[in-house]
């Protein structure tokens, strides 16, 4: 399993970024996908999740209405569109593939992680 994130960077408050996660080594279209983030000095937290067919999505409260998770199964890629960014969105963002049949879970012991991409929101 390989997950490679891209699209991070430095953006001003109120700006936008789109993160991408290219997946390989497994049947991407069969798995739900998640985005996590880890702010400086804090624990990693779930940001968004999407089912294998895009039929359902889930967001943490702090990003609802600002972030959108989507996927393209033909390209084996999951995206996170981030709008109206705030300084508190500054974090390393990780792509995560949970185990088969898991949508999202408090446990992340058995899935696969990308290497992360830094997002910094600052003026």
């Amino acid at each position: 399993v390989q997950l490679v994130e891209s699209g991070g960077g430095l953006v001003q408050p109120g700006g936008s970024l789109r993160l991408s996660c290219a997946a390989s080594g497994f049947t991407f279209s069969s798995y739900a996908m998640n985005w996590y983030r880890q702010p400086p000095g804090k624990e990693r937290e779930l940001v968004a999740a999407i089912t294998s067919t895009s039929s359902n999505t889930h967001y943490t409260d702090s990003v609802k209405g600002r972030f959108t998770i989507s996927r393209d199964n033909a390209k084996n890629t999951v995206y996170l569109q981030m709008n109206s960014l705030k300084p508190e969105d500054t974090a390393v963002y990780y792509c995560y593939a949970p185990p088969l049949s898991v949508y999202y879970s408090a446990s992340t012991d058995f899935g696969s992680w990308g290497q992360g991409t830094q997002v910094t929101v600052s003026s």
Side-chain angles (χ1 to χ4, degrees):
V1 174
Q2 188 172 20
L3 301 169
V4 180
E5 302 97 332
S6 61
L10 173 64
V11 63
Q12 291 187 342
S16 298
L17 282 175
R18 187 175 85 152
L19 305 183
S20 299
C21 172
S24 61
F26 65 108
T27 307
F28 178 77
S29 59
S30 296
Y31 286 75
M33 292 297 296
N34 302 167
W35 283 98
Y36 280 77
R37 67 184 179 187
Q38 186 166 17
K42 297 184 179 181
E43 293 190 354
R44 197 174 298 186
E45 62 174 354
L46 177 67
V47 175
I50 187 167
T51 54
S52 60
T53 61
S54 303
S55 58
N56 290 93
T57 56
H58 168 80
Y59 299 93
T60 192
D61 285 346
S62 61
V63 308
K64 284 180 181 177
R66 300 189 299 122
F67 289 12
T68 303
I69 188 171
S70 63
R71 64 190 295 161
D72 185 337
N73 286 345
K75 295 182 178 180
N76 285 2
T77 302
V78 61
Y79 305 98
L80 186 66
Q81 177 68 44
M82 305 186 295
N83 298 329
S84 302
L85 282 161
K86 305 175 181 180
E88 51 264 42
D89 295 317
T90 295
V92 178
Y93 284 72
Y94 296 91
C95 180
Y96 174 73
L100 193 62
S101 301
V102 174
Y103 179 21
Y104 61 92
S105 170
S107 170
T108 56
D109 291 343
F110 301 106
S112 299
W113 293 95
Q115 83 286 353
T117 186
Q118 177 70 47
V119 171
T120 302
V121 184
S122 175
S123 55

